Amino acid sequence: MDYSLLDGINSPRDVKNLRPEKLKDLAEEIRMKIIETVAVNGGHLAPNLGVVELTIALHRALECPKDKIVWDVGHQCYVHKLLTGRRGQFETLRQYGGIAGFPKRSESPHDVFDTGHASNSLSVALGLAEARDKRGGDEAITAVIGDGALTGGEAFEALNQIGHHGTKLVVILNDNEMSIASNVGALSHYLARLRLDPVYSRFREGVEEGLKKIPAIGEHLFEVGKHVKESMKALVVPGMIFEELGFRYIGPIDGHDIEELELNIRLASQSNKPVVLHILTKKGSGYAPAELEPDRFHGTPPFERENGKAKKGSDVPTYTEVFGDTVIELAKTNESILAITAAMPSGTGLDAFAAAYPERFYDVGIAEQHAVTFAAGLALGGYLPIVAIYSTFLERAYDQLIQDVCLQGLHVVFAIDRGGIVGEDGPTHHGAFDLSYLRHIPEMVVMAPMDEAELRQMLYTATNLKGPVAIRYPRSKGVGADLAQPLTDLPVGQAEIIREGSDVCLFAIGRMVKNALATADLLAGRGVLASVVNARFAKPLDEEAISWAAKNHELIVTVEDNSVVGGFGSGVLEVVSSRRLKREVLCLGLPDEFIPHGPIDRLHADVGLDPKGIASFVMGRLDKARGGVKEEDRSINIVAEI
Ligand SMILES: Cc1ncc(C[n+]2csc(CCOP(=O)(O)OP(=O)(O)O)c2C)c(N)n1
């Protein structure tokens, strides 16, 4: 591929210096570069292909980094990265040690805010704009938000305050009618009407003149007064919702026309009021497979560039797939089951359920807080809601978990996908905290399966309990476990001893059980006999099993793919302390820092959660306890010893 134009872009200044007739070719080169790179590294393809022209226009119209662009979610920042001095590193996108797939302030002064979670760009932009005004600055502040992210409550909260203050800033509403899947909600219908009805556009200029011309009504209308006039205007003025909230509305305009975009961004930036610039784009634009399947190419693993086909992996199902299939199986016999997603039907595996039981499925938009409280209402009304949300996004709904579900002991099942390290999406997406933020909530039962077969049993068990239940599982293929076992209830709060030794007890939870078993093999090779316990429950903890471990081993080692602070291991320490068990405990988990992006196995190895790392921690601790320190003590993760 010829990248002669892109190769000359080292900063936004070079984009400005390009002759307008060259811009289409630049857009083409950018598209090719992104397709080529994402086909190898995986990443957010379709959102980026949709904003190529927008990003070029932004960097021509604005003076970055003095002017600020805040990208909502940030998954669409690849073009921005290419145009702001990171072209040379672009091939390292999302790779270990390479540039991130999201904006990172540490990477470039052009990245204004570290993002990954949706719907917060307007709040950030307002903060920046208010700070500018207080300081007496004159930089332009622009937020770019998708129609999907606009369904998030935080965005509404910010619109409300921006309109109140009338702060000068620009909101670019990138409307492609898609969240990850098709966008949902009443606002989305409103935007669709703006898109489609040419009457709106015709009336935009000089609406009052237009109204006056309506025979018999027009003239009269303007005498009746402002109130009626405004409500009539609402019928015909595009973007009236935004106008009513205190914004100027411009649009809808073609989001793939660089010249028109540039002109309108300049215009919007000159306004003294907040402006919503509504642009229409196509997700996946310029790459046929992504245009056809924007959902699949929203975030994609590596694929064949020529035809977009997925690269063949193993046939073992993912935890997500097993969850999706099991919910369908359970719903067949349990008619009270309803399923809820917050804008992630395929990501959570609920797309198959949605197809099988459309009337029992809810996509509430990017609205995790609402999803949880909505589930509380459904539970109150006699249904059994299963709320499937990624660990990292459920952080949004912490208050709702406590107040609206657990405080009232409601039977809501939380299927928490992407628990633990997730890989290339990095720190905004790692599910590092769920065991910590769930474990201390009264009433909550918290489980984590050691394999995909146990996930099925846990889901079944959860549907038979009475109060709030959470099951957290990782983003990965299963281990190839037998999925044909009949569904049976697991005894709540009971761990499972799966290997018995006499020196060390490895007390592991979730996918770390597999690593603990491999560690036990490594330790055996060094003459150390290890027991392995599959904890199953982070709450309630199996106190008897912990007592057994304390009585029969020199050392208890807890292993979890969760922050070591306040996690499962902390719970074990609490039991050891409250039962006065007098046994040394080594807690291994994710260290008290944000973990970068990279392959899951590599990141686990970095923090010592691979079998080699765990064995090394154990040997270090045993050697110390036994007198001679033979190995370097790498136990950075120890939070306490008893
Ligand atoms: C709080 C939160 N929930 C869910 C997600 C997952 N997510 C990432 S992008 C996205 C859809 C965004 O749609 P839109 O804003 O329209 O942007 P587009 O990808 O269409 O450009 C979702 C649901 C997230 N990043 N943050």
Side-chain angles (χ1 to χ4, degrees), residues 491 493-497 507 533-537 542 545:
Q494 225 178 75
E496 181 195 24
I497 299 168
F507 224 100
V533 179
N534 167 21
R536 281 184 176 155
F537 293 82
D542 188 339

Side-chain angles (χ1 to χ4, degrees), residues 6-62:
L6 185 57
D7 284 346
I9 305 288
N10 295 311
S11 78
R13 181 122 308 276
D14 299 323
V15 186
K16 285 192 196 348
N17 289 341
L18 272 188
R19 289 204 311 277
E21 62 272 20
K22 292 281 177 204
L23 297 176
K24 258 196 165 157
D25 294 340
L26 175 66
E28 182 64 15
E29 288 186 19
I30 290 172
R31 279 205 166 82
M32 288 309 116
K33 185 78 184 169
I34 289 176
I35 295 165
E36 191 176 87
T37 308
V38 177
V40 177
N41 298 5
H44 289 95
L45 185 67
N48 281 287
L49 296 181
V51 297
V52 175
E53 288 79 10
L54 169 65
T55 314
I56 293 174
L58 276 166
H59 281 298
R60 283 174 68 83
L62 300 175

Side-chain angles (χ1 to χ4, degrees), residues 75 116 118 146-149 176 178-179 283 298 344 366 368 393 396:
H75 61 316
D147 55 314
N176 53 24
M178 297 289 293
S179 188
K283 209 160 172 169
H298 174 87
M344 323 237 6
I366 306 180
E368 290 80 7
F393 302 139
R396 280 268 163 102

Side-chain angles (χ1 to χ4, degrees), residues 554-565:
E554 247 176 88
L555 174 67
I556 299 177
V557 181
T558 64
V559 195
E560 65 193 300
D561 184 14
N562 181 85
S563 169
V564 78
V565 179

Side-chain angles (χ1 to χ4, degrees), residues 44 46-48 51 72-73 75-76 102 116-119 145-150 174-181 183 281 283 298 342-344 365-368 390 392-393 396 429:
H44 289 95
N48 281 287
V51 297
D72 204 282
V73 185
H75 61 316
Q76 75 292 59
F102 292 91
H117 285 207
S119 316
I145 185 166
D147 55 314
L150 196 65
N174 174 25
D175 179 2
N176 53 24
E177 297 178 285
M178 297 289 293
S179 188
I180 292 179
N183 202 11
T281 60
K283 209 160 172 169
H298 174 87
M344 323 237 6
I366 306 180
E368 290 80 7
Y390 289 6
T392 187
F393 302 139
R396 280 268 163 102
H429 284 59

